[in-house]
Amino acid sequence: MELDIIIPTYNEEGNIKNFYNETQKILKDIKHNYIFIDDGSTDKTFEELEEIYKTNDNNIKVISFSRNFGKEAAMYAGLQYSKAKIACIIDVDNKQNLNYLLKMYNFLKENSEYDSICMCQKQKKKKFFQHLFYKLIKKMSNLEIIEGASDFRMFRRNVVLAINKISEKNRFTKGIFSYIGFNTYYDYYDVENSKSIKSKKIPFNYLFDALINSKPLRAATWTGLFISIISFLYLIAIIIKIIIKGVATIGYSPIICIILFLGGIHLIFIGILGEYLGKTYNEAKNRPIFISKRKLGFDEDIL
């Protein structure tokens, strides 16, 4: 098989048929498979996938998770089951122009020096926090992540095999793509204004899981940061009263500010250490990244 298209889906019942029909037209001259991953959808996503499989099972594969494991796990599952010479990850919500699939495929065919191609979102206006995120990543790690880089990517087989070797549980796929190296070409695309049914958000975060992973430890970090900021502002207010208004400070006020500030700093660093401890704890449990409930199209290889 020439091309595997990996499509993570979560509550996408209104988008699947349109995505499949449009992609079939665009890739009609290329031998390709679809690997749909139903990430524990609560709507009729799996039923829609099953219907497409029953009528077009010559190139459809479906993996249905036992619950919602997240997009990172869905992408990993798709890459694990991919066997084609080239694999592509794409969303099903039609915000990524499907014509880029053909463009990406032809680029890799014509440029053997590149192992993968990554599509980056065009940034009409620089978003401050997004820009800050990428700057912090560059400063705090050895990874080079291009600003605006998305999960909309296409890989040769050797890149897929390299990604599959990294089986860590706390997955940051953009970091993994950067970590494995290889020659990657970066192109840019405009986000489409999709008219399809909008995907639903995850309705509930697993509360009991949150109580025993890194979330409570993360709360300590934010609490420490909040206390530090409040105490620092309080200290500035006291200084302004003394210098400008000549108000004599109460003797214990500066001491309280210092104690609160140092206490906040301590909580920040305890929270950071807790983040590492929580991630180490999750890795040590060695639980699977995903659990599949049903699979369609995997009884025999599709040639």
Side-chain angles (χ1 to χ4, degrees), residues 231 234-236 238-239 242 248-262:
S231 61
Y234 181 44
L235 181 60
I236 291 176
I238 292 173
I239 293 173
I242 295 172
T249 182
I250 301 174
Y252 58 80
S253 295
I255 297 175
I256 291 175
C257 288
I258 292 171
I259 292 173
L260 289 174
F261 181 76
L262 291 177

Coordinates of all heavy atoms in Angstrom, one line a residue, residues 231 234-236 238-239 242 248-262:
S231 N 1.4 38.7 47.5 CA 2.3 39.2 48.5 C 3.2 40.3 48.0 O 3.5 41.3 48.6 CB 3.1 38.1 49.1 OG 3.9 37.5 48.2
Y234 N 1.2 43.4 47.6 CA 1.0 44.0 48.9 C 2.2 44.8 49.4 O 2.1 45.8 50.0 CB 0.6 42.9 49.8 CG 0.3 43.3 51.2 CD1 -0.5 44.5 51.5 CD2 0.8 42.6 52.4 CE1 -0.8 44.9 52.8 CE2 0.5 43.0 53.6 CZ -0.3 44.2 53.8 OH -0.6 44.6 55.1
L235 N 3.4 44.2 49.2 CA 4.6 44.9 49.6 C 4.8 46.2 48.8 O 5.2 47.2 49.4 CB 5.8 43.9 49.3 CG 7.2 44.4 49.7 CD1 7.2 44.7 51.2 CD2 8.3 43.4 49.3
I236 N 4.5 46.2 47.5 CA 4.6 47.5 46.8 C 3.6 48.5 47.3 O 4.0 49.7 47.5 CB 4.3 47.2 45.3 CG1 5.4 46.4 44.7 CG2 4.1 48.5 44.5 CD1 5.1 46.0 43.2
I238 N 2.6 48.8 50.4 CA 3.1 49.3 51.7 C 4.2 50.4 51.4 O 4.3 51.4 52.0 CB 3.7 48.2 52.5 CG1 2.5 47.3 53.0 CG2 4.5 48.7 53.7 CD1 3.0 46.0 53.7
I239 N 5.1 50.1 50.4 CA 6.2 51.0 50.1 C 5.7 52.3 49.6 O 6.2 53.4 50.0 CB 7.1 50.3 49.1 CG1 7.9 49.1 49.7 CG2 8.2 51.3 48.6 CD1 8.7 48.3 48.8
I242 N 4.4 54.4 52.4 CA 5.5 55.0 53.2 C 6.1 56.2 52.5 O 6.3 57.3 53.1 CB 6.5 53.9 53.5 CG1 5.9 52.8 54.4 CG2 7.7 54.5 54.2 CD1 6.8 51.7 54.6
A248 N 3.2 55.6 58.2 CA 4.1 54.6 58.9 C 3.6 53.2 58.8 O 2.4 52.9 59.0 CB 4.2 55.0 60.4
T249 N 4.4 52.3 58.4 CA 4.0 50.9 58.2 C 3.9 50.2 59.6 O 4.5 50.5 60.5 CB 5.1 50.2 57.4 OG1 4.7 48.9 57.2 CG2 6.4 50.2 58.1
I250 N 3.0 49.3 59.6 CA 2.8 48.5 60.8 C 4.0 47.5 60.8 O 4.3 46.9 59.8 CB 1.5 47.7 60.7 CG1 0.3 48.7 60.6 CG2 1.3 46.8 61.9 CD1 -1.0 48.1 60.3
G251 N 4.5 47.3 62.0 CA 5.8 46.6 62.1 C 5.8 45.2 61.5 O 6.8 44.8 60.9
Y252 N 4.7 44.5 61.6 CA 4.7 43.1 61.2 C 4.3 42.9 59.7 O 4.4 41.9 59.1 CB 3.7 42.3 62.0 CG 2.3 42.7 62.1 CD1 1.4 42.4 61.0 CD2 1.8 43.5 63.1 CE1 0.1 42.9 61.0 CE2 0.5 43.9 63.2 CZ -0.3 43.6 62.1 OH -1.6 44.0 62.1
S253 N 3.8 44.0 59.0 CA 3.4 43.9 57.6 C 4.5 43.4 56.7 O 4.3 42.5 55.9 CB 2.8 45.2 57.2 OG 1.7 45.5 57.9
P254 N 5.7 44.1 56.7 CA 6.8 43.6 55.8 C 7.2 42.1 56.1 O 7.5 41.4 55.2 CB 7.9 44.5 56.1 CG 7.3 45.7 56.7 CD 6.1 45.2 57.5
I255 N 7.1 41.7 57.4 CA 7.5 40.4 57.7 C 6.5 39.4 57.1 O 6.8 38.3 56.6 CB 7.6 40.2 59.3 CG1 8.7 41.1 59.8 CG2 7.8 38.7 59.6 CD1 8.7 41.1 61.3
I256 N 5.2 39.7 57.2 CA 4.1 38.9 56.7 C 4.3 38.7 55.1 O 4.2 37.7 54.6 CB 2.8 39.5 57.0 CG1 2.5 39.3 58.5 CG2 1.7 38.7 56.2 CD1 1.2 40.0 58.9
C257 N 4.7 39.9 54.5 CA 4.9 39.8 53.0 C 6.0 38.9 52.7 O 5.9 38.1 51.7 CB 5.1 41.2 52.5 SG 3.7 42.3 52.5
I258 N 7.1 39.0 53.4 CA 8.3 38.2 53.1 C 8.0 36.7 53.3 O 8.3 35.9 52.5 CB 9.5 38.6 54.0 CG1 9.9 40.0 53.6 CG2 10.6 37.6 53.9 CD1 11.0 40.6 54.5
I259 N 7.2 36.4 54.4 CA 6.9 35.0 54.7 C 6.0 34.5 53.6 O 6.2 33.4 53.1 CB 6.2 34.9 56.1 CG1 7.2 35.2 57.2 CG2 5.6 33.5 56.3 CD1 6.6 35.3 58.6
L260 N 5.0 35.3 53.2 CA 4.1 34.8 52.2 C 4.8 34.6 50.8 O 4.6 33.7 50.1 CB 2.9 35.8 52.0 CG 1.9 35.9 53.1 CD1 0.9 37.0 52.9 CD2 1.2 34.5 53.2
F261 N 5.7 35.6 50.5 CA 6.5 35.5 49.3 C 7.3 34.3 49.2 O 7.3 33.5 48.3 CB 7.3 36.8 49.1 CG 8.1 36.8 47.8 CD1 7.5 37.1 46.6 CD2 9.4 36.5 47.8 CE1 8.2 37.1 45.4 CE2 10.2 36.5 46.6 CZ 9.5 36.8 45.4
L262 N 8.1 34.0 50.3 CA 9.0 32.9 50.3 C 8.1 31.6 50.4 O 8.5 30.6 49.8 CB 9.9 32.9 51.6 CG 10.9 34.0 51.6 CD1 11.7 34.0 52.9 CD2 11.9 33.8 50.4

